[in-house]
Amino acid sequence: MSSEELTKLPNTIGGMTSINGFISTSVQQWVADEFLQRESHRGPDAQKVLWIIEADCRIDGIIFAPVAQYSVHPEEKEVIFNIGSAFRIDSITLNEANNIWHIKATATNDGSHAFSEYMKVLRRELKETSEKVIFGTLLIDMGKYVTAQCYFKDLIERFSGSNHPDLSDFHYNLGLTYSFQGDLDLAEQNFLRALKYQNLVPLKQRDMVRTLNALGWVHQDSGALDEAIDFYKKAEYICEEKLGSNDLANAQTYTYMGRYYLERQQYNESNTCYERALKILRLYFPNQHQRLGIILSEMGDARRKQGKPEQALELYKQAEAIFNDILPKHHPCMAYCWSGMGLSFLQLNNIKEAQGHHEKALQTYRHVLPPDHINISISEKNLKCIRYDLVIDSYLQVCSQV
């Protein structure tokens, strides 16, 4: 925390504080201690703070869950608190031996309204989706791709061979986790299995749109652009004919089509698709929603690649403000946004700002992605680059469009 934030906290003892996004914690103090040893990017006046939280699971509205069984690091015994969690500040003390502040707090149910509103928005998007799928979707939204992958694999193994109505959703979301980690073959296998189940159920048209878009994305990332646009146009047709042009699923379709036309350097078509997607998203979501941040970040990519770095930075900064407000500290969407900002600053020959943003992006990529992920190696090279014409501009999109 900044020194300014910390000086205000003693005045709130006995009062409440809340977090807009999800919170990752651990029941093992050594995990927190390891994080405290890491370098901070919040500036020279940043203070190290250890939060010690008490939570009573018997109180309605206090929602948290242990996820160790689905984690790649089960020894960390991670516990996730829901969006909008509220805490009463009980005490604030400085451990003078190591210069770390200790904040003791108690979880309360005052944040339940924020989570209720979030769930309403999510259910609006995933209309026929069960609680099992929504929990995994929350993990993906948090950028916990490996944890979500283990979770959906476990569900598929548990219900394999049955006629469980959520099998298509399990495979679709498992495919997403593979695609974000760069394993396009396994992603495609799971998307195709999802599509097979969806073809058997006429009411799964919205899910089918998402799966067709995902398959288009896999083909586009593999360089098969003609196949990609075929999938996108099939998805667009279903939306136009069956769901309505302003259906939320069509925002996803236009986002992917925007990426396609951008790669084709058909900038007018790309801008039009992104604007259509943004217009639809604003019909459904509040201004501080992750999906709006993602589309603004991608629109920044488009302006940057059109040679308009000032416009790009304005869009990236809007996305960054949203992500800062609602996402955990280490999140792939934030890293992707910082990568774009780093490239834009380099376009403007502001090498210091470019390197600063690439450094922040690299640290987050290393924290949330597998060590061999392409975004890590690209970020390492771009961090050292001082000429825009020599950068590598092929980051894998790692932000969930649900």
Side-chain angles (χ1 to χ4, degrees):
M1 300 178 71
S2 69
S3 296
E4 182 181 357
E5 291 172 318
L6 201 53
T7 56
K8 294 177 181 177
L9 274 179
N11 298 324
T12 66
I13 292 177
M16 306 298 299
T17 187
S18 64
I19 310 295
N20 288 326
F22 296 95
I23 310 168
S24 175
T25 68
S26 172
V27 297
Q28 302 278 29
Q29 185 168 334
W30 65 264
V31 177
D33 290 339
E34 282 194 359
F35 278 97
L36 286 167
Q37 300 310 311
R38 297 180 182 180
E39 182 182 352
S40 171
H41 296 284
R42 299 199 64 181
D45 73 330
Q47 301 291 312
K48 294 183 177 182
V49 177
L50 176 67
W51 285 79
I52 304 167
I53 299 171
E54 290 189 7
D56 189 341
C57 62
R58 296 170 297 181
I59 300 176
D60 291 339
I62 299 178
I63 303 173
F64 58 98
V67 295
Q69 68 185 103
Y70 306 114
S71 175
V72 70
H73 297 294
E75 72 280 1
E76 292 184 351
K77 296 188 178 179
E78 182 180 15
V79 176
I80 293 174
F81 281 81
N82 69 290
I83 192 170
S85 290
F87 304 95
R88 184 184 68 247
I89 304 297
D90 297 323
S91 68
I92 302 172
T93 57
L94 175 64
N95 184 332
E96 296 182 359
N98 54 20
N99 205 35
I100 294 175
W101 290 90
H102 287 196
I103 300 178
K104 291 187 178 181
T106 301
T108 79
N109 57 9
D110 287 5
S112 58
H113 175 71
F115 182 66
S116 176
E117 290 301 308
Y118 177 85
M119 290 299 293
K120 285 180 183 177
V121 170
L122 192 59
R123 285 191 180 280
R124 192 184 304 154
E125 184 164 19
L126 307 174
K127 291 184 178 179
E128 303 89 12
T129 301
S130 72
E131 298 287 347
K132 289 186 178 65
V133 177
I134 285 178
F135 179 74
T137 301
L138 297 180
L139 293 174
I140 292 175
D141 276 352
M142 291 181 68
K144 299 278 186 180
Y145 300 144
V146 175
T147 304
Q149 179 181 315
C150 295
Y151 174 73
F152 283 113
K153 286 174 71 174
D154 180 68
L155 287 174
I156 289 170
E157 290 174 8
R158 195 183 311 170
F159 295 105
S160 180
S162 69
N163 293 319
H164 196 280
D166 292 327
L167 273 171
S168 64
D169 293 318
F170 298 161
H171 280 290
Y172 169 76
N173 283 284
L174 181 58
L176 284 183
T177 68
Y178 282 123
S179 64
F180 293 140
Q181 295 176 81
D183 194 332
L184 300 184
D185 289 336
L186 284 175
E188 183 179 15
Q189 288 177 28
N190 279 279
F191 291 145
L192 288 172
R193 287 171 186 160
L195 192 63
K196 179 181 177 181
Y197 286 117
Q198 290 158 2
N199 277 320
L200 301 175
V201 184
L203 295 178
K204 289 282 186 180
Q205 290 168 337
R206 184 170 288 101
D207 293 341
M208 189 179 295
V209 168
R210 288 196 289 267
T211 304
L212 289 168
N213 285 329
L215 284 164
W217 178 18
V218 167
H219 281 81
Q220 184 169 334
D221 277 342
S222 301
L225 297 183
D226 291 339
E227 289 86 347
I229 195 62
D230 285 343
F231 281 112
Y232 299 149
K233 287 184 174 179
K234 288 177 184 177
E236 183 185 26
Y237 175 81
I238 293 174
C239 280
E240 297 285 347
E241 295 297 318
K242 306 293 184 181
L243 303 175
S245 59
N246 284 332
D247 190 89
L248 193 51
N250 218 14
Q252 186 196 60
T253 303
Y254 285 133
T255 300
Y256 288 132
M257 292 177 79
R259 293 179 191 173
Y260 165 82
Y261 287 119
L262 183 61
E263 193 160 341
R264 288 286 196 191
Q265 298 185 343
Q266 295 175 244
Y267 298 128
N268 289 336
E269 291 86 348
S270 176
N271 291 340
T272 297
C273 287
Y274 280 131
E275 291 290 347
R276 286 177 178 173
L278 182 61
K279 180 180 178 181
I280 295 172
L281 290 174
R282 283 180 168 155
L283 294 176
Y284 293 89
F285 295 128
N287 290 331
Q288 295 297 100
H289 194 276
Q290 182 174 340
R291 291 284 298 277
L292 289 174
I294 292 171
I295 193 71
L296 288 167
S297 183
E298 293 202 28
M299 292 173 75
D301 289 344
R303 296 299 193 278
R304 174 174 55 77
K305 292 179 180 180
Q306 293 172 54
K308 301 175 181 179
E310 293 91 349
Q311 293 182 23
L313 281 171
E314 285 300 315
L315 290 161
Y316 287 135
K317 286 176 181 177
Q318 292 179 51
E320 182 187 32
I322 293 173
F323 295 151
N324 266 329
D325 197 40
I326 65 172
L327 296 182
K329 178 181 177 182
H330 294 290
H331 195 284
C333 287
M334 181 63 88
Y336 186 87
C337 182
W338 282 332
S339 294
M341 294 176 78
L343 294 175
S344 295
F345 278 118
L346 195 55
Q347 268 183 301
L348 295 169
N349 204 34
N350 190 335
I351 296 173
K352 182 178 179 181
E353 284 288 343
Q355 291 178 334
H357 283 82
H358 284 310
E359 176 66 27
K360 291 193 294 185
L362 177 58
Q363 292 301 321
T364 296
Y365 285 139
R366 284 173 172 166
H367 187 82
V368 298
L369 298 176
D372 60 346
H373 196 282
I374 188 172
N375 285 13
I376 294 176
S377 60
I378 292 174
S379 202
E380 288 171 340
K381 293 173 183 175
N382 285 344
L383 175 60
K384 302 173 183 177
C385 189
I386 58 174
R387 285 174 48 188
Y388 184 72
D389 60 325
L390 298 179
V391 300
I392 302 174
D393 193 3
S394 54
Y395 289 97
L396 183 66
Q397 174 58 267
V398 289
C399 303
S400 173
Q401 288 284 345
V402 186

